[in-house]
Every structure is written in C-alpha cells, then in structure tokens.
Amino acid sequence: MKLTKLAIAAGVTGVCVAGAAHAATLDDVKARGQLRCGINTGIPGFAFTDQQGNWQGFDVALCKAVGAAIFGEPKVEYVSLTGKTRFTALASGEVDMLSRNTTWTYSRDTDLKLDFAGVNYYDGQGFIVPKALGVTSAMELDGATVCIQTGTTTELNLADFFRANDMSYEPVPIETETEAKEKFLANACDVYTTDASGLAATRSSYPNPKDYVILPEIISKEPLGPAVRHGDNDWGDIVRWTLNALIVAEEKGVTAENVKDMASAPGDDPEVNRLLGTEGEYGSMMGLDKDWAVNAIAATGNYGEIFDAYLGPDTDIGLERGLNALYTDGGILYSPPFR
Amino acid sequence: MTVAASTETPAFRIEMLWRDERYRSGFIQAITMMILMLAVAWLVNNAVENLAALGKTFDFGFLWQPANYDINQRLIDYTSRSTNARAALVGILNTLLIAVMGCVTATVIGILAGVARLSKNWLVAKLMTLYVETFRNIPVLIWILLTAAIVNTALPAPATYRGLETGPVVVTNRGIYIPTPNFGDGSLVLLIIFALSVAAILMVRAWANRRQEATGEQTPMLWIGLGLLVVPSLIGYILLGAPITLTYPELKGFNFQGGIQLRDSLIALWVALSLYTGAFIAEIVRAGILSVSHGQSEAAYALGLRPNRAMNLVILPQALRVIVPPLISQFLNLTKNSSLAIAVGYMDATGTLGGITLNQTGREMECILLLMGFYLIVSLLISAVMNLYNERVRLVER
Amino acid sequence: MSDLHAETVPYVARTRFEPQPPPVASSGVLGWMTQNLFSSISNTIVTVLAIALILYMLPGMLEWAVFHSVWNASSIKECRDIITASFGEGATGACWAVIHERFGQFIYGYYPVSLRWRPDVAFLLLVVAMVPVLFRTMRPLAYAMGGLLAIKLLIALYDVMTGAKVEVLTGPTTVLAVIAGILALVVGGEKQRPYWIWFTLIYPVIAYFLLWGGLVLQPVDSSKFGGFLLTAVIGVTGIAGSLPLGILLALGRRSMLPIVRTVCVIFIEFIRGVPLITLLFVASTLLNYFLPPGTNFNIVLRVLIMVTLFASAYMAEVIRGGLAALPKGQYEAADALGLGYWQSMRLIILPQALKISIPGIVNTFIGLFKDTTLVSIIALQDPLGLMKPILANSTWNGIVWELYIFIAFMFFVCCFAMSRYSMFLEQRLRAADRR
C-alpha cells in the first residue's frame, strides 16, 4: 500500500520534476521564475521575519542579491532548513543555494559534495559567561556546564578544545537558540558557546547585556559562506561572483543609492565599469544580463551596507567589522579582481 | 478475453483467473506479490541511482569511527573518542531509561488521577478533570518545551547554594542530586540479609494464603512484611558497623559533585511524558472501573467483603482486563514520544544516532534505518507482551 | 406513668402539614458542600489541600497573564518599559503584544496577505463539507454560519467604534456564510443529506485550488504555508487521505489471502512501531533518494505523504476494531444473500463498521492534529516553527511563555471541541444501539 501510494504520489507530482544534480541550475531557476534559497530557521541578525512576515537578515540579503542578479529584482523563495536537513535539501535540488551560517570545512566540501562559493562572514567559536562567575579565560572553565547548539561544527570544536586542554565539562546540547538562551539566562548552564557573531547577537537580546562577558578565546575558525551543489560550476560561479560583486562594490564605494547613477555611464575606474556592465560583456559570460551586478547591489546594497543594516554597531547586535573588514581596512575580506 | 481456446470441455480461460473462486485468490496474491516486488525494486533502484549520482555509498563503516562529540548523560563509559556505535548505544540506553521511568510514573499518576476523577469530592473530581483535559488536548511537544522552561527558570541555579549548607538531596535547575551509596566491607553480607528477608516475606505470604484458604483467618501481612523487611537489615547494618555510607553532593567549582545527578533535561522530559501519558491512562483506568457493572461490587458487599477487599478481589481483576491492553499501547506511545527528547537536549537514540551522528557523518540513510529498526524492535517486544497478557486473561467464549 | 398517660390528649393530626424545606445541612449551598466537599475527615483534608493549591497558584498566574499584561507594544523592550512604568520596578507581566502583532502570521504563515481570503473560504467550505458527515441534518451548519456572522458583526461594530475600516464584513466569506446558512436552513433536511455529501466528496479538489491556486487563481507555493493553516492542511489531508487507505489496509488485514494479509500487517506494524519523528526525518532527508533521479517535490508535499501513511496505519486499526465489533451474523447474512466480497463490504459491513468507528476516527484525528507540531523539528513553519524566526527578530527576542501559552491555548480549544464531539457521538451511537 505504501509503495503504490508513493508511486501515485510520484506520478501526480511528476509535474514538479525539477533540477537534479546534473541539470543546469540557472535554467531551472529561470524557468521557475524564482530562486530557492535555503536559510536558517531563525538566528538574530542573520535570518528573521519582520512584522509582515518577510524574511530579513545578513544571510537572507545574499539570497536577495543572487535573486536580483538573475531576475533583475529579488525573486526569492525562502526555505528554512535545520542543521540536519540543509545538506540533503541542497543535494536533492530542493534549494538552489544555501545561505545559512554554514562553515566551510574539508569534509563538507569533499564528502558531502558541497561547493562553497566563498566566505561571507569570517567567524570563530567563542564563549559567553555571566560576569558574576568571575571567569576571564576559557582555560578556567574546567568542570563547567556548557550549552551548545546541535547540528553544527560547534560540538566537535568544543570536544576537541576541552580534550586538548585536559579539562572536563558537561555538554548540554540544545536544538534551537531559543531554548539555549533560556537555559543560559536561568543559569542552567555556566557557559554558552557558539560562533562569536551569534554570541554578540544573542547577548544583545538579554535583559541585562552588560552582565555577560564574551571570553577572549576564539577556539576555532568558522568561515561561513554560501554553498551550492557539487557539479554545476556555472551556477557556483553566479553565487560566487555575486558575493564578490558585493564586496568589490564596497571597496569601490558603489552603494545601493548611487549604483544606478554610476551604471548610467562609464566612469573613470575600469573595474567599476566592468562590474556595472558599462564596459565589456561580463554578464553574458555567466549567462546573466549586463547589469546583473547593478541589480544585485541595488537590491541589497554593498557588503558594508548589508553588514551595517543587520549586524553593525547601529543595530541591536552591535558587531564590529573585525576580520570582516575589507583588506584595505585591516580585515581579510578580499574579492578577486573583476577582469 | 483475447486468446482462450474454446473447446467443448470447460477448459481454462483467462477470465477464470478473476471470475473463478478456485483461481481468484491465488491470482490476486500473485498480482499483489508482483506489484510489491516491482515497487520495491523500483525504490531500491532509485536509491542506488541517486546515491551513485551524489557519489555516496551505503555502508555502515562510519559506526566504527570516532564520534568526536561528548554526551552528558551516559549509563556506560563513553568519551568523545569512542565510536559512533558506542554513542548510539549510549543513546539507546538513555531512551530505555526514560521509557521505563516514564511508564512507571505515568501508571502511578494515571491510576491516582483516574480514581480521583471518580471521587465523591467534587473539587478533587473537577481538578482531576481539568488536569486530564488540559494534558490530553495540548500537544506533547509543547508540554515538553514548557516543562523544560519551568524546570530551568523556576528551580534555583547551583550558584545560589554557594556558602550554604546543603542536605543529602539538592534541587537545582541543572538537575536533582541525590547521594551516592558507597559499598564498604560487609555490604555484601547486608545485601544477602536483605535478599533473605524478601524471600522470607514471600514464604510467609504463601503460608498466610494457605492458612486463609484452610481456616478463613487472615494474617496481618502488612505489619509482618514490614517487620521482616526492616528489622534484620537494620540489625545487620548496626552490627556490621554501617558498611554502606552515602556521599552527599557538594558544590565544587561550577557544579555539584559526588552525587547522582538526575539531569534537568531528563527531569523535564520525564515529568512531561509522565503527566501527558498519565492523563491518558487516567481515562483508561476510569473507563475500566466504570466498565465493571455495579452488580459486581454490590454482590461483593453482599458477601461481606470490606471495600478495599472488594476492590482487590472483585472489581480490579475484572477492570484490569479492560485496562491493560490500552495501557500497554500507552506505554508504547510514551516510548515513541520519548524521541522528542531532542527538543530539550536529552541525548536519547534520536539525539545521538539520528541527531549528531547523522549530522556529522552525513549518513542519513544508514542512521535513520538503524533508528527505525531500534524503535521497531522495542515496539514489537512491547506488543508481544501485550498479546501474551491478552491470551492469558481472555474470557473464554463460545 | 399511667396517670401521666391519662392526662395526655390523644394526638391526631387533622390538617395536612405544610412541606418543610430540608434541613440546612443537606440542602442548598451548605448541603451541597457537606455532601460533595466535606463528607468525611479525609475528604475535608483533601478539599482544604486542593483549595490551598488553587489559592497558591491562581493569583500569581492571573497577575502575570491578565493584570500586568500588555496588549499594545511594538517590541519587548517597550513591553518591559510599560510594565515597569505602571507596576513598578521588578514587576513582571505577559507581553501579549507579540501575538497581537504576529497574529496573521500564526494563522496563515507566509501566505500572501492579499490572498488570505482563500484559506478563509477553504476553511468555511470545510465546515460545510464536514457537517453532513458529522451530523444528521444540516441544522448545525446554519447555527455555525449564524455564529460566524454574529462574530463578524461584533468585530465590525468594534471597528466602527475605533474608527477603523469595516473590512471584516466585505470579504467573500460573509457572502458564502450567508448563502451556506440559508441553504442549510432551506434544503438541509435529512433527505437532502446525500447531495451535501456530494459536495463533501468534491471538496478536496476545491480546497486544493483555493489553497495552492491554479486555473484562474494565482498560484501559491506550499513553502508559504505556515501557522495554523499548515497544521490544518496537514491534519485534514492526513485524515482524509488515510481514510480510504485505512479501510483498504483494515480489509487487507482481515483478508483470507495470506500474502495480502502479511503485507498489510507488516505495513501497519512497521508504521505503528516507529515514532512519527523518524518518519518525518525520512520525509525531510530520505524520500528524495527513493524517487527517480531528478524528481523533487516540496517538503510540505513530502510531509503530507508521510503523515497520510502514518495516519492510515492508525486508521486501519480503528476500522479493524469496527469490523471486529460487528456481530458475526452480519457477515453470514451477507454471504447468505449471495453477495460477493466487495458487494457485501460496500452494502452491509462497511457502513456499519464505519459508523461504529467514527469516535475512534475523531480520536485519531485529534492525535494527528496534535502531532503536526512535530513538523517544526524538521523546520516547517507550523506555529511552533514560526516562533524561531519571530524570536530571532531583535524586537521580540526574549519572549517565551506568551507564545507557548498562546499556541497551547489554540490547540486546546480545537482538540477539546473535537473530543467533546467524539463523546457526543459515542452517546448518540449508544442511544441508537439501545433503541
């Protein structure tokens, strides 16, 4: 019975047959008229809903930019995914790209058959503790109870860190950030650990943010970036260069406001001209319109604008740029040249 | 209808396959079998193709690789260097632990609430109705999340005990700590004494039963039993110089050390599952008691039985026949619902095998198959017990 | 003695005594209390304990949920400020403003605001489709529609008083409610019930087009489904889809054909033996592997398939119970009439068996309805799943209890109503059996 039902279901929904691993993703996306973008189920600053039920956030903005680069306007359908479902959703073609705090690791790149299209946020795992605990370094955490979010690289880093320093700890794995925060605020765990960006984000929402300190140790490298399926390099290029376009735009001072003006006529900087399509045929190399980057930047602003809108010092999250500043400002954000 | 050699004798024709009683059942079964095998072949073929396209394999080798993550609650030895299989085993034991604990408390709560709902005390009956209805009509996942939130926010944090004298049992929002028993010299003797007194109680009870059947006189078993249970062990304990001592939990560093910790996640899950399933069991118990006809209790009273003996000897045995089968299916539900432990961070089989291991190795197919297999075995075992019981208590009918 | 006796006048009552009220101790409030609350010492103790418990719990809860609550605010900080300003430092209260602001999301998920009338209509028609199945006449439908219109009028009145636009009366649901109500009154007798049943049968098609769009309606992708709309879609599809499957499985399990029976038993026991969450994991991570390469359909559809399969196993057991409860004579009578297997099932056995099973079916539905919350674990946006992105928004980050309580309350209302209906049905069936 189960099988016949499956067969029927497959037959009925045969209409929905869409991009598999080997099809040209761009064609599928264009045919569908929408980009399907896998995002988090909700993490402050990176993905959340506003009053009207629209998705917003740092990761969401990248989806919008890619959607705009393809369609001229951000036509995106958001699919929220958990740590468990994200890779299968991408592999099975349920989403076209993943923009969901995913750490670029060796095994994910090779064994899980993902292709990372770059890094949109350089992060690292850190610890937050209540000030009252009197702890100033992660090395003093022997015997502590540590809240972690499952389904990430976090729990592995944590195990490695404590074992390497010969300390014991009590892991409390939590499925969602909501419950983790609740536990931490109630002192049911001494320490909360996640990516440093997440720590700042979650601290901003505490009733008394000043009573908590983020410890200086960063115990891991967490380059977070958008990922696509293995095997469709053309599609990977689109995501990669949309991200790069946003970074270059910041470097060159192209913003959401002035991008239309700058694109109306060729300017002095040839790289900006190539980026904005006033020189050469760079868009068609990827199968996109000439003004793909203009649309992407107009939709979301450049990298710096996105950062300031969702994570920057003026938001509740209040993150400094740090590593994520442009290489010209002391960070490591660096886009290959548009040439 | 197309071929068929039409001769004089009623030869075999194709439509006889589905028209003729003699062939029909065989035919239908053959068709079913064929469809089934085709479907299975189709599914397996798809899976093989898809896995090949993704460059994935289907093998269980990952089970013997290090798991690399820590589990807080473990009934057996486990470190982050242990294998994934060991991690799965830790999770499975945790599932069984919560299942057994939950079933016991849910039954107790259910019986109490079920009887209390039939109470003559209006207030008690209404309160129990309120309890049963609220718990039955709200999803168990919400109850688990709510209980976890209550446990974590309402109970004091360990740090609040700093500098205070703590007793043998400490209640914190990280769990409840109870003393650890230390078995010194002579504790074996004490345990043997205890076992002997239990055996003695059983023997006395058998004797008392025989005596009652022979003479009709009753023996006050409760007092004799209690005496037999406590007195020899107590004397032995004193004579042997208190061989069993207790280590009280003490606040050291961040946490209490030295006691047995019932973790907050375990408590939240345990309480939520017990109360939720207890509400269902209460209804079952109530229905069971109501199903025994009034004449039965009246007849028991007419025979001169006192109320509690009437309950024990007449009403309960009959009610149990109605109560036990749905009760066991509630146990089954509780065991399956314990898979929601991942919502509060209790590392059961779903949390280890179907959670972190699955996430970190990316072996969805293997992990979920193993997980399903485990739950299936548990369910089948519980069903088997239920069938055995049903066989035993079945009314013999025509 | 005798003297005394001689002096007494023999007493003979000549008038009828006026009836006296029973003694205070056994009547009125006091009597009720002595009988029901303080009948014995242990009872009194229990009563006092219960009252103490209520007095201990209730005031704090009421203060938090009602007296110190805030209904209008735009962020949790504003809520906290309002509470601090009105009730002093350290006071805590519920911030229901989050529900006020996100109510539409909790009901419809991300369904486009301009198209929300479609789920409304679908829900209204669902009521129309269900009444002929659940009741004997269409009278309850008329009451329901009347009640709906009354509520709408009240809201409209409130809108007029607050100066808002009276939008609630102009929607298509109002028109439909009036039409359906009148139809139910005019042609809603027991005789016309079969025609209404026809509507029930075509309802799934209507609902499909209303919710997902197509034909003249703008298509809506199922990833936009969320909130209680998603709960209802999963629950109703699960039950509607599992009914035919469940009947087949139940018949298969009682079949004389060993292979068919074995297949059905294995399927039923397998599904009933594993937790729903593992089946949902299958839907979210494995189902795509078992379909031809290149097939890809939405997670909501995959979940619908798995939930239907899940419910059908439970449904099969409920219906099997109904089949087993029928007296053997019914089967024998059907055979004696010379009916074939399917004829006897369709004409004699199933109509009776299904009737007996209706309370069980309703209970299965309640269970399924509650179990839909599990889809939040695989990141579908049911009410529990919706909480995460709402809480990730820094305006509401920090709220927990209000959302849990709201969701729990909504579920309670739905499930409690359904369980009452199931009890009502059981009583009706018992009455019908007694005759």
Side-chain angles (χ1 to χ4, degrees):
Chain A
M1 292 304 136
K2 175 188 181 181
L3 309 167
T4 42
K5 172 79 188 172
L6 269 183
I8 292 165
V12 168
T13 44
V15 201
C16 310
V17 171
H22 296 294
T25 313
L26 180 61
D27 296 340
D28 289 339
V29 173
K30 279 185 171 167
R32 196 190 304 130
Q34 259 184 338
L35 169 75
R36 286 217 188 108
C37 193
I39 51 169
N40 206 308
T41 51
I43 175 165
F46 288 85
F48 55 88
T49 52
D50 64 11
Q51 192 176 349
Q52 285 77 41
N54 302 316
W55 283 95
Q56 302 282 349
F58 186 77
D59 281 341
V60 175
L62 189 63
C63 300
K64 280 188 192 161
V66 175
I70 297 168
F71 295 110
E73 52 184 313
K75 288 187 182 166
V76 189
E77 186 189 317
Y78 301 101
V79 181
S80 44
L81 301 170
T82 64
K84 202 189 310 269
T85 57
R86 56 182 160 176
F87 300 130
T88 3
L90 185 62
S92 67
E94 193 184 332
V95 294
D96 303 311
M97 62 176 283
L98 208 58
S99 179
R100 191 203 171 277
N101 311 69
T102 306
T103 308
W104 186 351
T105 68
Y106 173 81
S107 65
R108 284 177 179 172
D109 208 335
T110 56
D111 189 31
L112 290 182
K113 308 291 176 197
L114 304 183
D115 262 2
F116 283 86
V119 175
N120 68 340
Y121 194 94
Y122 288 96
D123 216 332
Q125 186 175 340
F127 298 99
I128 188 169
V129 293
K131 233 175 220 169
L133 211 56
V135 171
T136 54
S137 156
M139 295 300 167
E140 300 164 26
L141 290 177
D142 193 11
T145 303
V146 185
C147 276
I148 32 172
Q149 236 184 303
T150 64
T152 59
T153 45
T154 324
E155 54 223 318
L156 304 189
N157 296 331
L158 192 68
D160 288 347
F161 174 76
F162 275 89
R163 197 177 56 247
N165 291 299
D166 201 21
M167 297 192 293
S168 68
Y169 73 111
E170 164 109 347
V172 181
I174 306 292
E175 187 79 359
T176 64
E177 204 241 341
T178 317
E179 276 101 49
K181 188 172 80 178
E182 184 185 292
K183 269 196 187 324
F184 180 60
L185 285 182
N187 259 324
C189 34
D190 303 302
V191 192
Y192 178 54
T193 178
T194 186
D195 294 347
S197 62
L199 290 182
T202 189
R203 181 168 72 164
S204 70
S205 66
Y206 295 166
N208 303 309
K210 294 207 168 54
D211 294 347
Y212 299 88
V213 281
I214 295 176
L215 297 180
E217 283 89 351
I218 296 291
I219 63 167
S220 71
K221 290 180 290 186
E222 306 282 342
L224 307 178
V228 294
R229 266 187 301 283
H230 203 81
D232 187 354
N233 294 341
D234 296 340
W235 174 247
D237 289 344
I238 292 175
V239 179
R240 177 173 304 113
W241 284 97
T242 307
L243 173 60
N244 285 337
L246 298 178
I247 297 172
V248 165
E250 188 189 5
E251 190 184 333
K252 301 291 180 187
V254 184
T255 63
E257 251 175 56
N258 66 18
V259 65
K260 293 278 178 199
D261 287 344
M262 291 176 82
S264 58
D268 300 332
D269 189 335
E271 187 166 13
V272 174
N273 293 345
R274 286 192 289 269
L275 174 72
L276 300 183
T278 50
E279 185 186 318
E281 286 296 327
Y282 284 83
S284 60
M285 290 178 195
M286 295 197 297
L288 298 179
D289 293 340
K290 210 166 124 183
D291 51 356
W292 64 277
V294 179
N295 294 329
I297 297 165
T300 59
N302 62 34
Y303 183 90
E305 287 177 281
I306 298 174
F307 193 99
D308 290 341
Y310 299 116
L311 304 174
D314 294 338
T315 63
D316 289 329
I317 314 270
L319 281 175
E320 296 296 332
R321 285 292 287 268
L323 275 184
N324 294 295
L326 290 172
Y327 71 104
T328 48
D329 299 339
I332 57 174
L333 214 59
Y334 187 104
S335 160
F338 273 76
R339 184 168 291 282
Chain B
M1 38 193 99
T2 44
V3 265
S6 54
T7 43
E8 293 297 310
T9 49
F12 176 75
R13 281 164 300 140
I14 282 289
E15 60 259 45
M16 280 168 74
L17 280 180
W18 57 90
R19 289 273 161 78
D20 194 312
E21 288 263 327
R22 282 170 298 175
Y23 306 113
R24 188 165 53 192
S25 72
F27 177 69
I28 292 175
Q29 300 207 59
I31 294 275
T32 317
M33 204 61 205
M34 254 161 60
I35 292 177
L36 191 72
M37 282 162 72
L38 276 179
V40 169
W42 183 72
L43 290 175
V44 170
N45 181 43
N46 283 337
V48 169
E49 270 183 42
N50 279 318
L51 286 174
L54 288 171
K56 284 191 172 182
T57 51
F58 183 79
D59 77 282
F60 290 93
F62 71 97
L63 282 175
W64 314 115
Q65 272 150 22
N68 279 330
Y69 59 89
D70 286 297
I71 301 175
N72 54 5
Q73 171 161 317
R74 40 189 188 254
L75 299 176
I76 51 173
D77 281 338
Y78 172 85
T79 67
S80 61
R81 300 307 301 165
S82 306
T83 60
N84 278 314
R86 188 105 182 147
L89 186 61
V90 171
I92 284 172
L93 289 177
N94 282 348
T95 295
L96 295 179
L97 175 74
I98 188 75
V100 171
M101 286 168 69
C103 288
V104 171
T105 42
T107 313
V108 173
I109 293 173
I111 290 175
L112 288 179
V115 172
R117 253 195 106 173
L118 294 171
S119 155
K120 277 185 190 154
N121 189 322
W122 180 84
L123 196 62
V124 171
K126 285 292 164 226
L127 274 181
M128 283 305 135
T129 312
L130 182 73
Y131 154 68
V132 169
E133 292 295 346
T134 24
F135 272 83
R136 273 161 57 95
N137 288 316
I138 292 176
V140 63
L141 182 58
I142 295 183
W143 281 123
I144 293 175
L145 291 171
L146 263 178
T147 330
I150 291 171
V151 167
N152 281 322
T153 51
L155 299 180
T160 50
Y161 289 104
R162 191 145 284 151
L164 296 177
E165 195 63 35
T166 50
V169 177
V170 186
V171 179
T172 73
N173 63 355
R174 290 182 197 175
I176 294 172
Y177 297 82
I178 54 174
T180 328
N182 303 314
F183 297 100
D185 293 338
S187 51
L188 190 67
V189 180
L190 198 61
L191 287 180
I192 291 171
I193 292 176
F194 188 75
L196 284 177
S197 48
V198 170
I201 289 174
L202 291 179
M203 275 159 60
V204 172
R205 219 181 86 178
W207 168 79
N209 277 348
R210 265 191 321 245
R211 175 162 166 255
Q212 191 189 351
E213 267 173 36
T215 64
E217 281 175 59
Q218 290 172 15
T219 324
M221 265 316 290
L222 183 68
W223 297 112
I224 296 180
L226 266 181
L228 273 178
L229 197 67
V230 174
V231 175
S233 299
L234 201 66
I235 294 171
Y237 184 79
I238 295 165
L239 284 184
L240 287 165
I244 299 182
T245 53
L246 295 176
T247 309
Y248 286 2
E250 270 179 89
L251 190 57
K252 279 182 194 153
F254 294 103
N255 283 313
F256 279 89
Q257 313 277 342
I260 296 174
Q261 183 188 7
L262 296 171
R263 275 182 183 70
D264 53 340
S265 53
L266 172 71
I267 292 170
L269 193 66
W270 184 25
V271 170
L273 285 178
S274 308
L275 286 175
Y276 182 78
T277 314
F280 285 86
I281 293 179
E283 282 299 89
I284 292 170
V285 169
R286 189 172 74 113
I289 293 175
L290 287 179
S291 77
V292 179
S293 79
H294 210 54
Q296 294 287 329
S297 45
E298 281 169 354
Y301 296 141
L303 286 175
L305 291 179
R306 304 242 295 282
N308 60 341
R309 292 190 74 81
M311 192 59 147
N312 282 337
L313 298 175
V314 178
I315 299 173
L316 268 188
Q318 299 186 66
L320 274 183
R321 188 177 285 133
V322 181
I323 291 173
V324 168
L327 182 70
I328 292 186
S329 81
Q330 285 304 325
F331 291 168
L332 201 59
N333 281 345
L334 189 144
T335 311
K336 288 190 284 174
N337 281 338
S338 73
S339 61
L340 297 178
I342 42 169
V344 289
Y346 178 76
M347 295 310 278
D348 72 334
T350 316
T352 55
L353 184 61
I356 304 184
T357 297
L358 187 156
N359 279 329
Q360 304 299 354
T361 61
R363 302 266 169 206
E364 301 99 0
M365 185 92 72
E366 296 88 336
C367 286
I368 292 180
L369 281 181
L370 285 175
L371 190 63
M372 283 183 151
F374 160 66
Y375 280 111
L376 205 56
I377 290 171
V378 173
S379 306
L380 290 180
L381 282 179
I382 296 180
S383 304
V385 171
M386 173 162 82
N387 288 342
L388 269 182
Y389 177 84
N390 276 348
E391 250 348 90
R392 262 191 55 191
V393 302
R394 199 161 53 120
L395 282 178
V396 183
E397 285 175 87
R398 60 156 171 151
Chain C
M1 268 305 228
S2 56
D3 293 343
L4 261 173
H5 201 103
E7 278 172 26
T8 52
V9 185
Y11 173 75
V12 177
R14 290 174 204 283
T15 52
R16 202 163 69 99
F17 281 101
E18 284 307 308
Q20 296 279 316
V24 189
S26 64
S27 73
V29 182
L30 213 63
W32 180 87
M33 276 168 68
T34 37
Q35 260 176 23
N36 292 305
L37 296 179
F38 306 105
S39 60
S40 66
I41 294 173
S42 57
N43 234 339
T44 310
I45 295 171
V46 172
T47 304
V48 169
L49 282 180
I51 291 175
L53 184 76
I54 294 173
L55 286 182
Y56 176 72
M57 310 263 288
L58 207 56
M61 277 168 30
L62 274 182
E63 183 182 279
W64 180 83
V66 182
F67 301 121
H68 285 188
S69 66
V70 176
W71 284 88
N72 281 307
S74 59
S75 73
I76 182 169
K77 286 196 184 69
E78 200 181 322
C79 264
R80 284 176 183 157
D81 290 346
I82 292 175
I83 292 166
T84 312
S86 9
F87 307 108
E89 199 67 40
T92 53
C95 182
W96 301 113
V98 61
I99 286 149
H100 189 206
E101 185 192 290
R102 299 294 177 104
F103 190 73
Q105 259 181 61
F106 271 115
I107 302 294
Y108 304 100
Y110 306 117
Y111 211 86
V113 178
S114 58
L115 301 180
R116 280 180 183 172
W117 61 271
R118 276 161 45 179
D120 289 345
V121 169
F123 181 73
L124 193 136
L125 291 181
L126 176 69
V127 176
V128 178
M130 270 168 37
V131 170
V133 181
L134 301 181
F135 299 95
R136 279 192 209 132
T137 68
M138 295 301 285
R139 192 57 50 80
L141 180 65
Y143 298 146
M145 293 299 128
L148 179 72
L149 288 175
I151 294 172
K152 283 195 158 209
L153 273 176
L154 276 179
I155 298 175
L157 209 66
Y158 178 79
D159 283 350
V160 169
M161 293 208 306
T162 52
K165 273 189 282 180
V166 191
E167 281 176 339
V168 68
L169 282 180
T170 54
T173 41
T174 313
V175 183
L176 268 176
V178 172
I179 297 175
I182 292 174
L183 274 181
L185 276 182
V186 180
V187 285
E190 219 167 334
K191 277 193 187 137
Q192 284 98 345
R193 198 168 147 217
Y195 302 107
W196 291 90
I197 297 269
W198 277 113
F199 175 76
T200 309
L201 290 178
I202 56 166
Y203 172 76
V205 183
I206 301 176
Y208 176 82
F209 281 114
L210 275 173
L211 292 174
W212 274 272
L215 297 181
V216 291
L217 297 168
Q218 185 188 336
V220 176
D221 197 90
S222 37
S223 65
K224 301 264 186 236
F225 287 28
F228 284 99
L229 171 64
L230 184 66
T231 304
V233 167
I234 297 177
V236 173
T237 319
I239 278 304
S242 68
L243 200 59
L245 263 180
I247 292 175
L248 284 180
L249 282 169
L251 292 179
R253 196 170 180 170
R254 290 171 63 86
S255 160
M256 298 293 176
L257 313 174
I259 294 183
V260 174
R261 193 171 57 226
T262 319
V263 170
C264 291
V265 168
I266 290 177
F267 176 79
I268 293 173
E269 290 305 323
F270 173 75
I271 295 276
R272 282 162 50 90
V274 298
L276 177 58
I277 188 71
T278 58
L279 292 176
L280 291 177
F281 284 164
V282 169
S284 69
T285 59
L286 286 191
L287 206 51
N288 277 333
Y289 285 128
F290 289 110
L291 298 172
T295 322
N296 167 40
F297 50 102
N298 191 291
I299 178 74
V300 176
L301 289 178
R302 298 200 306 257
V303 165
L304 283 180
I305 293 174
M306 287 321 273
V307 166
T308 308
L309 292 178
F310 174 77
S312 66
Y314 285 81
M315 194 63 92
E317 289 299 274
V318 169
I319 292 170
R320 190 167 72 109
L323 288 173
L326 272 196
K328 217 168 172 208
Q330 295 292 325
Y331 292 88
E332 288 163 357
D335 288 346
L337 285 175
L339 295 177
Y341 177 76
W342 290 108
Q343 279 174 323
S344 66
M345 283 301 146
R346 190 167 58 85
L347 298 171
I348 308 227
I349 307 298
L350 278 180
Q352 300 184 67
L354 285 182
K355 196 180 106 181
I356 307 175
S357 318
I358 289 183
I361 295 174
V362 176
N363 284 338
T364 313
F365 182 68
I366 298 174
L368 185 68
F369 192 72
K370 286 188 295 177
D371 280 345
T372 54
T373 45
L374 267 61
V375 300
S376 66
I377 293 180
I378 54 165
L380 282 192
Q381 304 286 316
D382 86 314
L384 274 185
L386 269 173
M387 276 177 64
K388 288 169 205 160
I390 291 177
L391 293 178
N393 191 328
S394 54
T395 46
W396 296 118
N397 198 334
I399 281 187
V400 183
W401 302 102
E402 290 86 343
L403 294 176
Y404 280 143
I405 289 172
F406 168 69
I407 297 169
F409 176 74
M410 295 291 279
F411 270 103
F412 178 79
V413 170
C414 297
C415 296
F416 186 71
M418 284 190 278
S419 70
R420 286 296 114 152
Y421 170 76
S422 143
M423 279 159 76
F424 154 77
L425 257 188
E426 272 169 60
Q427 249 155 25
R428 201 176 80 184
L429 287 176
R430 219 174 288 147
D433 285 346
R434 225 179 279 133
R435 244 175 295 196

